Amino acid sequence: MNSDSKIFVGLRPLRKKPDSNREPDGPKCQWDGCQKGGIHRAPVGRDGEGLYLLFCAEHMKDYGRGYNFASNLSDPVVARYQREAASGARPTWGSRIRQPAEAALPFTVRSGSAKAMNARRNAAERQGARADLQRRKLKVLEAKAFETLGLLPEASPEQIRSRYKQELKMHHPDANSGDRNSEDELRAAIDAYKILKLNGFC
């Protein structure tokens, strides 16, 4: 079989040669007056974090040469592009990064480590146990212990420890020049603190 055979008659190549004058399909370069394709992403900077402009290779080099993260330190031409993109006068791609209003508590921070997960679970259990203690009816000795220290049953562990230290300083013989008249109050405060500690209040 040769190339003059009837089988090859009418076969033509289907691929067309690329048209050099054809416009690019994607987005155009955002540099003023440029009609080339904008395939290179350029960051806007500090005022528009997460946003970027699209330039052709030539203008990407020009933008990169004068670019600084802070627009006031950039080249004047580049700074104009940054300001316009941040203010919305020039279209951009991407999305703005929103900073959280407040930092999360350490035990609520999401983490895959077992240590962090156990810390979160233990903290939640402690809070639940403390809430149960506050809800349940106080026993006679517990109520008397709170009364001895001069605290309400809703007092936090920190408040209980603080009041106990105050009572020790106030009634200890060393603080009263060796006077043992307030020794009974000291013993009562120590016993009250022991009862509250044993029952999980502090």
Side-chain angles (χ1 to χ4, degrees):
M1 188 181 289
N2 57 24
S3 60
D4 295 334
S5 174
K6 291 180 182 180
I7 298 173
F8 292 105
V9 176
L11 291 178
R12 300 280 183 269
L14 296 176
R15 290 188 183 177
K16 295 180 181 177
K17 292 181 181 176
D19 187 7
S20 58
N21 297 331
R22 194 169 60 112
E23 291 187 10
D25 293 338
K28 290 187 178 178
C29 177
Q30 291 185 284
W31 199 272
D32 293 337
C34 183
Q35 295 299 315
K36 295 180 184 175
I39 57 171
H40 301 284
R41 299 188 332 172
V44 171
R46 182 172 60 194
D47 300 327
E49 285 189 62
L51 300 176
Y52 55 87
L53 298 161
L54 295 176
F55 294 121
C56 63
E58 179 187 339
H59 291 123
M60 182 65 195
K61 287 178 187 174
D62 295 340
Y63 185 86
R65 221 175 281 125
Y67 174 79
N68 193 304
F69 184 68
S71 57
N72 57 345
L73 300 175
S74 296
D75 180 67
V77 176
V78 173
R80 179 175 63 87
Y81 279 95
Q82 287 178 288
R83 281 193 303 273
E84 288 177 4
S87 66
R90 190 173 292 270
T92 56
W93 283 260
S95 59
R96 289 190 181 276
I97 297 170
R98 303 225 181 273
Q99 296 295 332
E102 58 184 41
L105 293 172
F107 61 85
T108 61
V109 174
R110 285 280 175 208
S111 172
S113 71
K115 188 175 183 180
M117 291 168 69
N118 288 337
R120 281 198 301 273
R121 189 180 67 240
N122 292 342
E125 287 174 1
R126 281 196 303 273
Q127 285 178 345
R130 197 175 298 136
D132 290 342
L133 278 173
Q134 300 297 338
R135 277 197 297 272
R136 75 174 172 82
K137 191 175 178 182
L138 292 176
K139 295 176 185 172
V140 177
L141 286 176
E142 293 168 353
K144 190 172 181 184
F146 275 111
E147 188 181 327
T148 302
L149 292 175
L151 293 169
L152 294 172
E154 295 83 28
S156 68
E158 291 78 19
Q159 291 173 326
I160 294 171
R161 283 191 286 271
S162 174
R163 181 56 63 90
Y164 173 61
K165 287 177 185 176
Q166 288 175 0
E167 292 288 319
L168 286 181
K169 288 177 185 175
M170 191 185 311
H171 298 297
H172 198 277
D174 292 346
N176 296 316
S177 304
D179 187 12
R180 292 179 171 265
N181 290 336
S182 61
E183 202 169 308
D184 293 337
E185 287 88 346
L186 177 66
R187 281 204 184 99
I190 292 171
D191 291 341
Y193 181 74
K194 281 181 183 175
I195 289 167
L196 295 178
K197 191 168 185 180
L198 285 171
N199 289 294
F201 287 96
C202 58

